[in-house]
Amino acid sequence: MSDLPPSGFTEPAASGPPADPTAPPPPAAEPAPGPSGTTGGATPASGASGADPWAGHTGPVPIVPAEPGYDTPQPGAPFPATPPGWTAPDDTSPGHTSQGWTVPPGTPPQGWNAPGTPPHGWNAPPGTPPPGWGGPAYPGYPMPGAAYPVPGAAYPVPAGPGAYAGWFPGIDPQDPLVNPPHAGIGPWFARCTAALRRGWRQLLPIVLLTQVVPAAVIGVLTLVFSPEGEMATAPDGAPVLPAGFWGQMFAFYGVLLSAGLVFGLLQAAGWAAGTWVVARQAAGEPTGLGAAFRYGLRRALGLWGWTLLVSLLVMIGSCFCLLPGLYAAFALALFGPVYLFERREPIGRAWRMFHSRFGMVLGRVALVIAVLLAATVLDAVVGGISGAVFGVEPMKAVGTAIGAVALAVFGALLAAPAYLAQQVGLVVTYAEQRAQEGPVNAARLAAELG
């Protein structure tokens, strides 16, 4: 607001003694008649200055017609606009009277703004936070649990189900797949369950065909090729192996290894197809079983090769001690999503992700492995029931063979929820780690799958 006097305003020259501030204001002068006999300003009311012409009046207040050129104030109306040709006085302090207008007490001087308030007519630029919002407490980093405004918005976006109630540069807190930094385990778990709700119709057939069927076939092969015979005792008390034990043992493990290699390619295709479904559904893109399997078959060979290498590393670590093998399994758990989304050094990238945010990745992967261990325990319980009911050699009779095979298939079916949790949990964990490294969303991840 300009401090210059209004146009045409002339500061009166100081002459004579100073005015007494306690003296009452002089009565308003009668306006000079215009050329045609009309007044050029407001006609003051007759009588004493400042008298209320409506005192003692009852009933509706009559409407006084306005004089030409400006609006005449009505009783009880707010302070009127400046009439044409009238210059506002300098002193608009409360109680000052000028040309018949009395400024009510408590009215601030004309052109005065309260400290800390913008001038009249000023609009806040886009993206300005609401009054009273103090901004982030941590420079450059979001405070855990604090509400931060989304870029381009004036107010913080409220978090929905499974969303982080906060803001991070370039990260959408409402993204259905990417858990924002500092969001915690709750939104991560909510995104996993949301992915299962969205895609269980496509994921369940993929898991049944590529994970449950191989597990059931391997379970049946275990019953068929397991070594027969029982341990005997020599005359000197030493245990004696049954005849042909070593040949049966080599055949047993040879069949299982061959089946694992063959079915490993099918399982790799299933993991790739499931990842494709989870990512594309989160991005709002159409998915179908045929397209998912076609994508899985394209990526199956490469993913299968990396799976064999990681399994070999875990096996070597387990040969030294159980702890190194378990550590390798945790540290390399994200190699599959890394290969599918980035297709470069999956072992090195998974290792660095694990050690860069050790506690976070360890906690997420531990939950996934805990579900797999629970499924393994259930399968062991079913196997124990099968051995107790049908004996250690159930394949020698038709009835016991049918019962043992049925329980083997049932044990494989019990592991289906664990396979679903592993599929979804690893993909959401990988997306969360990508968000820790830079801005990413579900649409970008779906595009990276190719």
Side-chain angles (χ1 to χ4, degrees), residues 148-218:
Y148 285 69
V150 175
Y155 296 92
V157 176
Y164 170 52
W167 170 79
F168 191 80
I171 299 293
D172 181 10
Q174 304 291 340
D175 192 277
L177 182 62
V178 180
N179 195 30
H182 309 289
I185 192 67
W188 174 88
F189 184 78
R191 282 172 169 83
C192 292
T193 55
L196 286 176
R197 288 196 301 267
R198 286 192 303 267
W200 70 270
R201 292 178 179 83
Q202 290 82 19
L203 293 176
L204 186 58
I206 293 173
V207 166
L208 290 177
L209 181 60
T210 63
Q211 310 298 328
V212 174
V213 170
V217 173
I218 292 176

Side-chain angles (χ1 to χ4, degrees), residues 61-116:
V61 178
I63 303 300
V64 179
E67 295 205 16
Y70 65 96
D71 295 334
T72 303
Q74 303 298 323
F79 200 94
T82 303
W86 184 81
T87 303
D90 288 341
D91 187 4
T92 56
S93 59
H96 178 80
T97 304
S98 177
Q99 297 190 7
W101 297 106
T102 302
V103 180
T107 303
Q110 190 175 17
W112 181 86
N113 293 322

Side-chain angles (χ1 to χ4, degrees), residues 19-377:
D20 186 4
T22 61
E30 291 290 335
S36 59
T38 60
T39 59
T43 304
S46 60
S49 175
D52 187 2
W54 306 103
H57 179 80
T58 59
V61 178
I63 303 300
V64 179
E67 295 205 16
Y70 65 96
D71 295 334
T72 303
Q74 303 298 323
F79 200 94
T82 303
W86 184 81
T87 303
D90 288 341
D91 187 4
T92 56
S93 59
H96 178 80
T97 304
S98 177
Q99 297 190 7
W101 297 106
T102 302
V103 180
T107 303
Q110 190 175 17
W112 181 86
N113 293 322
T117 59
H120 296 291
W122 182 85
N123 294 322
T128 303
W133 187 79
Y138 296 165
Y141 297 92
M143 178 186 296
Y148 285 69
V150 175
Y155 296 92
V157 176
Y164 170 52
W167 170 79
F168 191 80
I171 299 293
D172 181 10
Q174 304 291 340
D175 192 277
L177 182 62
V178 180
N179 195 30
H182 309 289
I185 192 67
W188 174 88
F189 184 78
R191 282 172 169 83
C192 292
T193 55
L196 286 176
R197 288 196 301 267
R198 286 192 303 267
W200 70 270
R201 292 178 179 83
Q202 290 82 19
L203 293 176
L204 186 58
I206 293 173
V207 166
L208 290 177
L209 181 60
T210 63
Q211 310 298 328
V212 174
V213 170
V217 173
I218 292 176
V220 173
L221 292 177
T222 301
L223 294 174
V224 174
F225 290 94
S226 59
E228 299 178 356
E230 297 181 359
M231 298 288 292
T233 304
D236 57 356
V240 178
L241 295 175
F245 175 80
W246 289 111
Q248 295 178 5
M249 184 63 68
F250 280 114
F252 172 73
Y253 282 108
V255 169
L256 291 185
L257 181 60
S258 301
L261 291 176
V262 172
F263 287 122
L265 190 60
L266 179 61
Q267 289 175 329
W271 291 124
T275 302
W276 185 85
V277 169
V278 171
R280 285 181 63 87
Q281 284 189 341
E285 300 179 7
T287 57
L289 283 178
F293 278 116
R294 285 193 296 271
Y295 174 82
L297 291 176
R298 289 202 308 269
R299 301 297 183 197
L301 188 60
L303 184 59
W304 179 62
W306 286 108
T307 303
L308 292 178
L309 182 56
V310 171
S311 301
L312 182 62
L313 294 176
V314 174
M315 186 184 304
I316 293 175
S318 301
C319 291
F320 291 99
C321 184
L322 180 61
L323 187 58
L326 188 61
Y327 186 84
F330 275 87
L332 303 178
L334 297 179
F335 81 94
V338 170
Y339 169 75
L340 294 174
F341 287 99
E342 302 179 28
R343 290 183 290 280
R344 61 183 179 92
E345 55 170 349
I347 292 180
R349 283 279 291 148
W351 184 272
R352 289 193 295 272
M353 280 185 177
F354 180 76
H355 292 91
S356 296
R357 291 162 290 276
F358 179 81
M360 181 186 298
V361 182
L362 179 64
R364 275 52 163 178
V365 175
L367 291 176
V368 173
I369 293 183
V371 176
L372 294 176
L373 288 178
T376 303
V377 171

